[in-house]
Amino acid sequence: MSSLAVLHASQLVTLAGPKRPRVGTELSSLGIIFNGGMLVRDGKIESVGPSDEIEKNVGDADIMDARGSVVMPGFVDAHTHLVFAGNRLEDFERRSRGETYEQIAKAGGGIWSTVEKTRAASERDLLAQAKKHANWFLGCGTTTVEAKSGYGLTVEDELKILRVLRQLREEVPLEIVPTFLGAHAVPRNLSPDEYLDLVITEMLPRVTAEELAEFCDVFCERGYFDIDQSRKILSEAKKLGLSLRGHVDQLTNSGGAKLMAEMDATAADHLEQTDQQGIAALKKANVQPVLLPGSVYALGSSRYPRAREMIEAGLAVVLATDFNPGSSPTPSMPMILSLACTQMKMSPAEAITASTVNAAYNLNRGDKIGSLEPGKLANFVIFDCQDYRELAYWFGMPITHSLYVTGQRVVEL
Ligand SMILES: [Zn+2]
């Protein structure tokens, strides 16, 4: 039996509350214990409370004195593209010169350039780069990420990416939730319908037979997969037992939110263009919106999703990084909190709920992670600040002090 007592947190941000995603004013309720403490046994949280109460039951536990810092659950990042080769520095520089997406794609950039590099990379090289990315997430205070395929676009290359994710799980303490996103783009040598057929008849059965993914995702957008094609892929994935999520209404309002509601999906991601009707459809079907302000920011756009309207409509909002080389090259959830507060007018407390407990439920792990409550895994982070609001307030600087996964310290800065 290994045990650990965390003592003297200025704020132990527990997020204790109902055993479901938080909505409305619940998003503002962080369950903070001032001068808080926590007892961890065998990787799980045994008790939380005032530090002096916890101290009485310490026994032979190791002591971690938080010395007046904030202690909270590790961030749960519900939308990342963690595995890819290379980067998109050329695109980045072109965009900074004011070039459009079409001009950049013509010059050999865009998603296709990442597909080519990822196809050319060996499983070993992809794993090495993915490990680097995983360590960035841990360093920013994240203990669980969803991670997608989608830069392979052939049967073998999509499987390669998902196998890299499976291997990565063995090699890093970051918890990884794999998602199949074969329908990320249409490869150049196939028509949309030919590729759709490949995704449905070959990729999905292989992915599920090898148990390589928990979710199926689709990029539902003009020029990628339209509503009908997206519906076909998601219906097939559902039959095979996968949970559903989708990139919808990012660049155009094509009715993607409504499709996710119709499909009874777990998540509808992006939603920059979603209108009131889309929000109402999500509410009716209880689909969680996953908002990705990092990609709006990095693309130099100002069209953020309507977070306030979504919260007021009673949706259990989630925030994620959308970490990817093209449109959101950041693994930093504190940066996302800053954007959520300054650009989408969420409060710091709402942003923290959206990036911890609500995200945990969104990844079907609400019973294990996302809050500091007895029985849950001791995945927590100590931040070098005294007040949780500082996480969203200071921006562009590292603030992680140390990070624990199942009670073991894995990062110390
Ligand atoms: Zn994405």
Side-chain angles (χ1 to χ4, degrees):
M1 295 267 281
S2 70
S3 44
L4 173 73
V6 181
L7 302 174
H8 307 303
S10 62
Q11 299 179 339
L12 188 81
V13 182
T14 66
L15 288 125
K19 295 186 190 319
R20 54 167 173 74
R22 312 294 159 76
V23 296
T25 54
E26 293 169 358
L27 279 151
S28 307
S29 173
L30 297 183
I32 294 173
I33 301 171
F34 294 93
N35 193 15
M38 178 166 70
L39 199 59
V40 172
R41 227 180 276 279
D42 286 337
K44 286 190 176 166
I45 298 166
E46 187 172 278
S47 57
V48 295
S51 194
D52 355 327
E53 292 295 317
I54 297 295
E55 214 165 351
K56 286 179 196 159
N57 301 312
V58 159
D60 60 353
D62 294 333
I63 305 277
M64 164 65 201
D65 187 342
R67 296 170 191 257
S69 297
V70 167
V71 177
M72 57 173 269
F75 288 119
V76 177
D77 193 337
H79 184 137
T80 85
H81 304 251
L82 186 141
V83 177
F84 55 85
N87 57 46
R88 297 260 277 280
L89 289 173
E90 301 303 325
D91 296 17
F92 178 67
E93 188 167 5
R94 282 178 184 277
R95 209 159 49 232
S96 75
R97 289 202 296 260
E99 289 188 24
T100 64
Y101 186 85
E102 285 75 23
Q103 288 170 316
I104 291 168
K106 237 183 194 169
I111 180 176
W112 190 249
S113 64
T114 299
V115 170
E116 283 178 330
K117 286 181 203 149
T118 305
R119 283 180 178 176
S122 68
E123 217 163 300
R124 210 175 116 192
D125 290 344
L126 280 179
L127 181 64
Q129 190 173 341
K131 264 191 195 172
K132 188 171 160 179
H133 300 159
N135 284 321
W136 288 346
F137 281 100
L138 291 166
C140 292
T142 298
T143 46
T144 298
V145 299
E146 181 265 11
K148 306 170 197 299
S149 67
Y151 293 119
L153 310 184
T154 66
V155 178
E156 283 314 316
D157 289 303
E158 285 296 303
L159 291 173
K160 175 173 78 175
I161 295 168
L162 292 170
R163 287 185 192 124
V164 166
L165 284 170
R166 185 161 64 188
Q167 188 58 33
L168 188 63
R169 272 197 280 193
E170 307 295 314
E171 301 195 18
V172 295
L174 184 69
E175 183 186 20
I176 292 161
V177 180
T179 292
F180 169 61
L181 177 58
H184 195 193
V186 179
R188 285 181 171 170
N189 57 328
L190 296 176
S191 74
D193 282 335
E194 284 171 331
Y195 186 61
L196 192 70
D197 195 51
L198 187 70
V199 170
I200 289 175
T201 61
E202 290 195 45
M203 291 185 187
L204 269 171
R206 292 277 299 272
V207 167
T208 45
E210 291 190 39
E211 295 183 359
L212 285 168
E214 296 180 29
F215 286 90
C216 179
D217 194 340
V218 57
F219 191 24
C220 179
E221 184 63 59
R222 197 166 57 196
Y224 293 84
F225 300 88
D226 66 21
I227 294 284
D228 285 341
Q229 292 167 329
S230 300
R231 184 187 286 115
K232 276 184 192 156
I233 292 166
L234 295 173
S235 305
E236 198 57 34
K238 198 175 186 178
K239 276 189 224 156
L240 293 168
L242 297 179
S243 299
L244 307 181
R245 46 201 318 118
H247 288 65
V248 293
D249 300 346
Q250 180 185 5
L251 307 171
T252 55
N253 181 8
S254 63
K258 281 184 220 156
L259 174 68
M260 301 316 285
E262 174 198 322
M263 294 304 306
D264 204 15
T266 306
D269 300 37
H270 274 293
L271 307 174
E272 284 86 336
Q273 314 293 333
T274 301
D275 58 14
Q276 253 180 344
Q277 288 176 319
I279 292 173
L282 293 177
K283 171 63 189 157
K284 214 169 164 197
N286 248 326
V287 180
Q288 283 188 277
V290 179
L291 309 183
L292 311 167
S295 60
V296 182
Y297 166 79
L299 289 173
S301 164
S302 53
R303 181 72 182 251
Y304 286 87
R306 304 182 189 185
R308 283 256 60 90
E309 282 180 48
M310 293 178 191
I311 291 170
E312 275 148 30
L315 294 180
V317 169
V318 176
L319 286 168
T321 62
D322 193 15
F323 174 73
N324 78 75
S327 62
S328 192
T330 181
S332 170
M333 197 64 90
M335 180 68 197
I336 300 305
L337 300 189
S338 168
L339 291 171
C341 296
T342 60
Q343 309 302 306
M344 305 198 300
K345 306 301 174 202
M346 290 174 70
S347 70
E350 288 171 336
I352 284 179
T353 303
S355 54
T356 53
V357 71
N358 273 12
Y361 278 102
N362 191 250
L363 296 182
N364 298 329
R365 282 160 169 73
D367 57 336
K368 293 192 185 71
I369 55 170
S371 65
L372 303 179
E373 295 179 275
K376 285 203 175 180
L377 296 180
N379 293 0
F380 63 94
V381 53
I382 301 179
F383 285 114
D384 194 9
C385 59
Q386 285 74 53
D387 185 307
Y388 73 88
R389 291 173 297 184
E390 292 182 70
L391 285 169
Y393 170 72
W394 307 111
F395 70 92
M397 60 172 251
I399 196 162
T400 308
H401 173 277
S402 52
L403 178 130
Y404 290 72
V405 173
T406 58
Q408 303 292 318
R409 183 160 55 205
V410 296
V411 173
E412 188 170 19
L413 300 171

